[in-house]
Amino acid sequence: MAFKITDQVSWVGKIDWELRSFHGDEYSTHRGSSYNSYLIEDEKTVLIDTVWGPFAHEYVKNLKKTIDLNKIDYVIALHSESDHSGALPILMNEIPSVPIYCTAAGAKIIKGHYHQDWNFVEYKTGDTLDIGSKQLVFVEAKMLHWPDSSFVYLTGDNILFSNDAFGQHYASELMYNDLVDQGELYQEALKYYANILTPFSPLVTRKIDEVLKLNLPVDIIAPSHGILWRDDPAQIIKKYLQWADQYQENQITIIYDTMWNGTKRMAEAIAEGIKAADPIVDVKLYNLAHTDKNDVITELFKSKAFLVGSPTINRGILSAVAAALELIAGMGFKGKKAASFGSYGWSGESSAIIQERLQAGKIEIIEPGLKVLWNPDADGLKSCREFGQIIADKLK
Ligand code: FEO
């Protein structure tokens, strides 16, 4: 249900506690999410974004309890993706002539989704809209993370409605950053950045610099998912600048899949070698077949280097490893180093295949891949430990 953020601004979205996957099954949402929609009641009444389609009827029904829909002067669609535009068809049935403010790309995409000829009004960066005692200032945020993404700033209350940027898939009835568990909040904010914004990091830095140069005071950052940043909202801007700048912690992550535990034993022996050479580095191991793929990407995002292992099967690699390499290539990680490993029985292509795919994803190879015949014996395990030590030494 609605709640007041300021005298004239209300949250009118939907908290989705049940959501466990997003973008189909491409993004796990262990802690649910929310679709944040906002209502501004100045001399003009403005609705910012809506909710995902399955909640459209509930959303419009609840919105009617807060406002007579005929009082809405402007609808603003900061981003056309279905989780924010999904209630437009039901809503616009009720108020068909109300203008929908969006970017030029947004109008095209919304038409592509819903095939409706609504009254679109396109905005560009710097355009403003007077709504009475306050003003709205639009900022395009192309490719953060879609071509149409944009922000809007409300003067007076100093709220930056940032849509997906600074959001988290994090359901909470507490709604504000100072009230929720900080570990949970930052885990979800980091996961969101790592999985959704990593490919666009150079644009993140440029856009934040551009917004900071506008010198607008920001008291609240109100994203379209998760909690609102009202306590020191600059903290998440600073984090984004760090995350966008080839972020890494003192962590090496080993990801692998295994059939009869040969490659798993290699992974464990490599970890021993790393630990022996560098007791401070945080070594983490994940079996890709048993680990959530988005959690893996989050761990790789935090790593200065990662190792990828698979046994050879049918002259190739195991499917969980192939899927992870596809995701890694799409991330466009910068400044990370990697190496490959794997056990084999006869042909033994896996380590070389992994290395090639990492290189194709522009990941720097720190050491040529390692392969061990069958289940590693004492010599095989020794070579794995040495491999780990060489890698740790090169990363110091
Ligand atoms: Fe939350 Fe890109 O949609």
Side-chain angles (χ1 to χ4, degrees):
M1 289 302 294
F3 72 88
K4 286 261 186 201
I5 298 168
T6 65
D7 279 351
Q8 292 185 326
V9 180
S10 303
W11 178 95
V12 290
K14 169 69 186 177
I15 299 178
D16 188 354
W17 282 96
E18 283 200 355
L19 191 76
R20 287 296 175 269
S21 69
F22 187 78
H23 282 160
D25 279 321
E26 277 304 294
Y27 188 111
S28 58
T29 47
H30 306 318
R31 293 189 173 94
S33 191
S34 66
Y35 317 103
N36 296 339
S37 171
Y38 301 98
L39 185 71
I40 304 171
E41 294 170 90
D42 199 342
E43 285 169 31
K44 299 288 186 183
T45 300
V46 183
L47 183 68
I48 301 178
D49 290 328
T50 67
V51 301
W52 188 29
F55 300 104
H57 285 285
E58 176 185 337
Y59 166 77
V60 172
K61 192 171 143 205
N62 283 336
L63 192 58
K64 285 178 179 171
K65 292 178 192 163
T66 305
I67 187 90
D68 174 354
L69 297 186
N70 293 309
K71 286 193 175 158
I72 295 175
D73 296 290
Y74 312 116
V75 172
I76 295 175
L78 292 176
H79 175 31
S80 59
E81 198 165 4
S82 309
D83 50 325
H84 309 296
S85 64
L88 282 177
I90 306 282
L91 177 71
M92 299 313 289
N93 263 347
E94 307 246 4
I95 47 172
S97 58
V98 170
I100 298 177
Y101 281 66
C102 59
T103 62
K108 278 189 195 141
I109 299 171
I110 291 171
K111 283 178 196 166
H113 279 153
Y114 306 109
H115 311 291
Q116 299 285 326
D117 202 17
W118 292 317
N119 176 16
F120 293 102
V121 179
E122 296 172 7
Y123 55 72
K124 289 192 167 69
T125 295
D127 288 354
T128 57
L129 183 61
D130 288 317
I131 56 170
S133 66
K134 298 183 174 73
Q135 198 179 45
L136 291 166
V137 183
F138 296 101
V139 180
E140 292 169 275
K142 193 174 177 183
M143 295 319 295
L144 294 180
H145 65 129
W146 271 24
D148 67 299
S149 298
S150 59
F151 308 154
V152 68
Y153 176 81
L154 177 66
T155 63
D157 285 343
N158 303 338
I159 302 176
L160 178 67
F161 298 95
S162 59
N163 197 262
D164 284 338
F166 312 119
Q168 336 85 44
H169 286 305
Y170 182 29
S172 171
E173 301 291 337
L174 294 170
M175 291 309 298
Y176 290 110
N177 68 310
D178 50 305
L179 300 180
V180 298
D181 181 288
Q182 299 300 290
E184 288 185 0
L185 169 60
Y186 267 98
Q187 175 64 27
E188 294 306 332
L190 178 72
K191 176 178 174 180
Y192 194 95
Y193 188 97
N195 283 274
I196 294 182
L197 289 165
T198 296
F200 312 110
S201 282
L203 301 175
V204 170
T205 309
R206 243 178 284 156
K207 184 51 58 181
I208 289 178
D209 287 346
E210 182 190 316
V211 172
L212 291 178
K213 276 186 191 139
L214 295 175
N215 255 331
L216 301 167
V218 176
D219 292 339
I220 298 174
I221 294 177
S224 57
H225 299 290
I227 59 79
L228 285 68
W229 303 88
R230 70 174 178 186
D231 177 42
D232 183 21
Q235 66 180 283
I236 191 62
I237 296 174
K238 285 182 203 147
K239 277 286 172 202
Y240 263 46
L241 287 172
Q242 286 174 12
W243 292 339
D245 187 18
Q246 302 192 14
Y247 183 73
Q248 51 183 250
E249 298 177 10
N250 191 21
Q251 177 173 329
I252 300 174
T253 303
I254 303 176
I255 54 175
Y256 62 92
D257 194 3
T258 193
M259 287 189 289
W260 298 106
N261 289 339
T263 299
K264 174 186 168 185
R265 288 193 190 95
M266 288 184 74
E268 290 173 345
I270 292 167
E272 280 175 32
I274 293 171
K275 211 67 195 161
D278 185 352
I280 303 301
V281 71
D282 194 1
V283 188
K284 296 184 180 177
L285 289 82
Y286 296 98
N287 181 318
L288 290 167
H290 302 156
T291 311
D292 179 277
K293 59 182 182 275
N294 305 108
D295 292 340
V296 167
I297 290 294
T298 309
E299 293 300 332
L300 300 186
F301 179 80
K302 288 159 61 185
S303 301
K304 58 183 179 182
F306 55 90
L307 309 183
V308 185
S310 172
T312 297
I313 180 167
N314 300 332
R315 298 190 171 175
I317 57 178
L318 290 179
S319 58
V321 180
L325 288 167
E326 178 69 15
L327 275 178
I328 289 167
M331 287 295 125
F333 285 127
K334 301 272 188 311
K336 297 200 189 293
K337 298 181 170 77
S340 61
F341 64 95
S343 64
Y344 70 105
W346 47 103
S347 58
E349 292 92 340
S350 64
S351 184
I353 291 171
I354 292 168
Q355 185 170 310
E356 271 168 34
R357 292 198 191 161
L358 288 168
Q359 284 170 317
K362 306 261 187 306
I363 305 285
E364 182 186 335
I365 300 301
I366 188 168
E367 179 70 7
L370 175 70
K371 59 183 190 178
V372 168
L373 190 59
W374 296 117
N375 193 6
D377 60 7
D379 283 346
L381 291 174
K382 185 163 168 275
S383 65
C384 291
R385 283 193 290 273
E386 287 168 356
F387 185 69
Q389 282 175 353
I390 290 167
I391 286 166
D393 286 339
K394 284 190 172 179
L395 288 166
K396 277 182 188 167

